[in-house]
Amino acid sequence: MIEMQNLWYAYPSGQTVLAGLNISIKRGEFVALIGQNGAGKTTFLKQLNGLLKPTSGVVKIAGMDTSRVKTAKLAQKVGFLFQNPDHQIFLPSVRQEIAFGPKNLGLPDEEVEARILQAAEAVGLTAVLDENPVFLSKGQRQRVAFASLLSMRPEILVLDEPTTGQDYRESIEIMEMVRELNEAGHTIIFVTHDMELVARYARRIILLRQGRVVVDGPVREVFYRPELLTATGLLPPQIVRLALMFGENSPLGRVLSVEEAYEAIVGWGGVAHDRCG
Amino acid sequence: MTGVAEYVHRESPIHALHPITKLIWSLSVVTMSFMFTDLMGQALLFLSVLLVAGLGRVLRETLPAFKALFLMAGLFTVFRVFFIQEGQTLLTLLPGTGLGRITDVGLRSSIELSCRMVVMAASFPVLLATTAVKDLVVTLVEKLRVPYIYAFMFVTSLRFIPTFLREMDQIAMAQRSRGYTGEGRNPFRKVVALAPLAVPLLISSVRKAQRMAISMETRGFASGTRSQLHRTRFAGRDSSFLLIVGVMFVAVIFIKTKGI
């Protein structure tokens, strides 16, 4: 679905941001892109829909070379959620805001209407469809922005820190929505600083540092190599750190969540109990 | 990214001058360019501005501004030359029709006016490249008794230009991600096509201004009389520089009145 071959990117000022990336992401993957501020995460994301073009190397999205195709065209395949929803909201109602993308795609009115309703329902905005988004809360504005992408039905969703500025419950709600979309077949690539969210939702981690890939692999494997994370100033989730203290051979093993740890402990207790009996 | 007429931080005798000295120099150049009517005088004056830019080691940085000035002056000449119909005909663009007639009087006065325009404006890029706007404003408040709040408004509006440019970039990217192309054939549609960019910029600027006002008030802005941490002082080099400008000024007046 996404192919990066020896991707280099430098700003016009000459500063290199991405240095020789070779990454392949298949349909239906759920990828977390992590790294410190300035590691090149946002620049990486902007390569995915042609907002930035490679200085050298190739980025292919569903077979389309991003340096040859316009962003407006790539937008049909790749939906991009920006950190700040206020950069895009400009219409006087939530309904119109959600309709902007599909209309740009030149879809017929009935189709646009159907997509508005579906997208609004997916993010829980049906009740405020006719309100002015400017007067909604920040969390709701983020959902408006999200719905305006969903209505374009892109196969790939690119989310730049989708949970910043949201409280815990809102964050979980947004990520649950993303999970459902992933289960429905969408490819997800998201940036976050919240390792608990990564452990809970993502299946693959790409860790960037100064424009290079430090490690690229399944979440469980990456989190259980803490030396890679600490080198870039990140810490694995608390439950992973706890499990690491007990070592690989403890009954906790390589758990990723509190639920898994609970299962492991209960299972182990059961075994011990049996042994006693 | 350095824009035209931006401050260039550098060590030079011109940078070391007091902002007021440079302001006086700039205004003197404007006044002198009004007194000269002949091209020779304007050329000498322009050379003197280039000399100051050279001394300030900002010649390379101010060059784009000078280029732009010359371009504008050139266009101005071309437009103006056809509106003066006195004097002898030098050239007619459409022979036989009398349309597009260029006369000797017209050509001469157009070129003179354009040159004056260039010289008048030429000192400002040099002034701005060698003086930080902050220093200029501090001296305006301190020495010329401009109310601080006006000076502050001026500096703030300048300081927000790069912020808005960055914001605009982000907005354009966000809209392109939603399939926005910004295309429109006729002028009306072009204006309509700007809305997805203009409206978010407006809303976010208003939000930003509100936040800034609150953050300033919580830090006690305008709650009493102000004092300055750094005071600027006139030095010997300011007197020497002003003396040279003064001598030039007197010389120009002398030449004009004697009609040499």
Side-chain angles (χ1 to χ4, degrees):
Chain A
M1 203 70 192
I2 299 169
E3 288 292 332
M4 288 183 171
Q5 288 157 17
N6 197 22
L7 165 66
W8 286 77
Y9 181 77
Y11 281 123
S13 62
Q15 189 199 352
T16 302
V17 194
L18 299 176
L21 300 184
N22 287 294
I23 287 168
S24 161
I25 295 171
K26 288 193 221 37
R27 186 188 298 269
E29 283 203 67
F30 200 135
V31 183
L33 186 63
I34 60 176
Q36 279 175 312
N37 285 330
K41 300 187 296 292
T42 299
T43 310
F44 180 104
L45 294 188
K46 284 179 179 165
Q47 295 285 346
L48 297 177
N49 70 345
L51 285 173
L52 297 174
K53 312 280 185 191
T55 307
S56 76
V58 182
V59 179
K60 276 191 181 156
I61 307 295
M64 290 186 284
D65 185 343
T66 60
S67 53
R68 302 230 174 103
V69 183
K70 273 191 174 180
T71 298
K73 172 105 172 121
L74 286 163
Q76 298 172 23
K77 292 271 174 209
V78 185
F80 197 122
L81 183 67
F82 281 78
Q83 285 181 33
N84 185 352
D86 298 336
H87 280 147
Q88 63 162 71
I89 289 174
F90 75 104
L91 287 160
S93 77
V94 173
R95 182 187 300 275
Q96 283 167 284
E97 195 61 45
I98 300 175
F100 181 70
K103 279 189 178 161
N104 280 335
L105 298 183
L107 296 170
D109 286 351
E110 314 86 67
E111 175 71 19
V112 172
E113 190 58 32
R115 287 191 177 199
I116 293 170
L117 295 176
Q118 205 210 6
E121 205 192 320
V123 299
L125 284 176
T126 313
V128 294
L129 263 181
D130 293 305
E131 288 190 33
N132 190 327
V134 173
F135 301 118
L136 297 177
S137 74
K138 176 100 181 202
Q140 283 176 311
R141 292 207 297 275
Q142 185 75 327
R143 282 151 193 254
V144 172
F146 198 18
S148 77
L149 294 182
L150 294 183
S151 61
M152 295 174 79
R153 297 207 180 140
E155 288 168 50
I156 303 165
L157 280 171
V158 172
L159 316 167
D160 196 354
E161 301 193 28
T163 59
T164 33
Q166 314 270 339
D167 62 25
Y168 179 72
R169 212 192 76 194
E170 285 174 330
S171 300
I172 294 298
E173 278 175 7
I174 287 185
M175 289 312 292
E176 283 297 330
M177 265 154 26
V178 175
R179 189 220 292 273
E180 279 168 28
L181 289 164
N182 179 245
E183 279 162 7
H186 292 267
T187 310
I188 313 286
I189 298 137
F190 77 116
V191 162
T192 187
H193 291 285
D194 187 339
M195 295 305 128
E196 317 286 336
L197 286 182
V198 175
R200 200 156 162 172
Y201 293 102
R203 287 195 295 277
R204 172 178 171 187
I205 288 179
I206 297 175
L207 173 58
L208 285 184
R209 187 189 180 192
Q210 293 172 351
R212 289 170 197 277
V213 175
V214 178
V215 62
D216 176 358
V219 172
R220 202 175 298 272
E221 278 175 30
V222 174
F223 276 158
Y224 278 89
R225 294 175 68 191
E227 72 285 356
L228 290 174
L229 293 175
T230 42
T232 58
L234 295 168
L235 285 175
Q238 283 181 328
I239 195 72
V240 173
R241 275 182 273 160
L242 182 70
L244 280 165
M245 282 184 205
F246 287 108
E248 284 267 329
N249 300 320
S250 81
L252 280 178
R254 305 211 292 178
V255 293
L256 272 183
S257 66
V258 178
E259 287 83 0
E260 281 182 21
Y262 173 78
E263 293 293 325
I265 292 166
V266 167
W268 178 64
V271 171
H273 187 77
D274 288 348
R275 215 176 279 160
C276 284
Chain B
M1 194 182 78
T2 47
V4 172
E6 229 171 55
Y7 176 62
V8 185
H9 189 72
R10 210 157 273 176
E11 295 272 320
S12 89
I14 304 296
H15 282 72
L17 287 175
H18 195 280
I20 296 281
T21 309
K22 284 179 269 190
L23 202 59
I24 293 174
W25 165 72
S26 191
L27 294 176
S28 309
V29 171
V30 172
T31 320
M32 283 188 272
S33 77
F34 264 108
M35 292 194 290
F36 278 124
T37 41
D38 59 315
L39 287 175
M40 192 61 191
Q42 302 285 10
L44 282 174
L45 205 53
F46 187 69
L47 277 181
S48 80
V49 173
L50 287 185
L51 184 70
V52 173
L55 280 175
R57 296 172 54 208
V58 291
L59 202 53
R60 202 151 49 93
E61 285 79 4
T62 46
L63 218 54
F66 291 145
K67 267 190 204 152
L69 274 177
F70 275 110
L71 188 72
M72 262 170 57
L75 285 175
F76 184 71
T77 311
V78 171
F79 279 120
R80 198 182 126 88
V81 78
F82 296 109
F83 287 97
I84 300 171
Q85 297 291 304
E86 297 158 48
Q88 287 186 312
T89 306
L90 292 177
L91 184 82
T92 310
L93 277 190
L94 300 169
T97 59
L99 278 173
R101 204 162 71 93
I102 298 173
T103 67
D104 56 348
V105 178
L107 189 64
R108 206 193 159 86
S109 83
S110 302
I111 290 178
E112 273 172 9
L113 204 67
S114 303
C115 286
R116 180 178 292 164
M117 204 173 86
V118 170
V119 176
M120 264 172 64
S123 65
F124 290 105
V126 181
L127 173 73
L128 290 172
T130 55
T131 319
V133 177
K134 181 188 67 183
D135 295 339
L136 200 57
V137 167
V138 167
T139 46
L140 285 182
V141 172
E142 203 183 359
K143 297 282 192 300
L144 301 180
R145 309 251 165 255
V146 173
Y148 180 74
I149 197 144
Y150 292 106
F152 180 82
M153 267 160 52
F154 177 68
V155 176
T156 312
S157 54
L158 284 181
R159 125 107 184 66
F160 266 110
I161 293 172
T163 311
F164 284 150
L165 286 178
R166 227 174 299 136
E167 195 92 333
M168 194 69 189
D169 220 36
Q170 287 295 316
I171 292 168
M173 282 187 174
Q175 302 299 28
R176 268 158 61 203
S177 310
R178 297 205 286 163
Y180 166 77
T181 51
E183 277 162 17
R185 288 282 157 79
N186 68 54
F188 177 71
R189 294 201 65 175
K190 264 195 181 132
V191 173
V192 173
L194 279 180
L197 304 180
V199 176
L201 186 65
L202 186 72
I203 295 173
S204 71
S205 324
V206 171
R207 282 218 173 96
K208 208 161 261 166
Q210 283 172 337
R211 272 203 303 276
M212 190 175 167
I214 291 170
S215 97
M216 276 163 56
E217 273 185 80
T218 53
R219 285 178 289 168
F221 183 78
S223 62
T225 47
R226 291 189 66 87
S227 56
Q228 263 97 30
L229 180 58
H230 302 289
R231 294 206 159 265
T232 52
R233 224 172 250 127
F234 284 97
R237 53 177 169 263
D238 290 297
S239 321
S240 340
F241 188 80
L242 284 179
L243 190 70
I244 300 171
V245 174
V247 167
M248 264 175 77
F249 209 93
V250 172
V252 170
I253 293 173
F254 188 74
I255 292 168
K256 290 316 288 183
T257 48
K258 291 285 169 185
I260 299 168

